[in-house]
Amino acid sequence: MTTFPSDGSPSPVPNKRVMIYRESGSNGEEGREVQLADLTFEPLDYEVLANAKLDQPMVIPLAGRGTIIGGDVGPTEIGQIGSFRAELQSRFASKSPMV
């Protein structure tokens, strides 16, 4: 998943934040792509954060909606609302001792 501001970067929609979501196949190759604008995210479940282990990498579920503006989609899907689910995976953990 990639987001970028449209302040001179190659954004397909001027003056908007765009998220590009690419599937990744089980064989490591990139899959389909969809480009979304006007994003809204669903709030996180408190349980996800409460159960996080600081000494282990963290996985945060992301879900939301946005307007489809491009990607590997048909012309009838442009302008429609699409939803997404993804995981933000951190390789980093805290090395601080627990008190």
Side-chain angles (χ1 to χ4, degrees), residues 68 71-79:
I68 299 172
D72 301 327
V73 296
T76 58
E77 295 173 296
I78 302 292

Side-chain angles (χ1 to χ4, degrees), residues 80-97:
Q80 300 293 318
I81 302 296
S83 60
F84 61 89
R85 292 198 177 283
E87 288 184 341
L88 177 62
Q89 299 177 359
S90 170
R91 300 178 306 207
F92 304 104
S94 174
K95 300 278 187 205
S96 301

Side-chain angles (χ1 to χ4, degrees), residues 19-36:
M19 181 177 76
I20 300 171
Y21 181 83
R22 280 188 199 96
E23 293 178 328
S24 53
S26 57
N27 58 1
E29 293 184 19
E30 290 184 356
R32 296 177 300 170
E33 173 184 299
V34 66
Q35 300 168 4
L36 302 163

Side-chain angles (χ1 to χ4, degrees), residues 38-93:
D38 301 322
L39 301 168
T40 57
F41 289 90
E42 293 177 11
L44 281 177
D45 212 3
Y46 178 73
E47 184 177 341
V48 172
L49 298 175
N51 292 333
K53 307 285 187 228
L54 296 179
D55 61 339
Q56 298 175 4
M58 190 169 196
V59 176
I60 301 171
L62 296 176
R65 303 169 66 84
T67 304
I68 299 172
I69 59 170
D72 301 327
V73 296
T76 58
E77 295 173 296
I78 302 292
Q80 300 293 318
I81 302 296
S83 60
F84 61 89
R85 292 198 177 283
E87 288 184 341
L88 177 62
Q89 299 177 359
S90 170
R91 300 178 306 207
F92 304 104

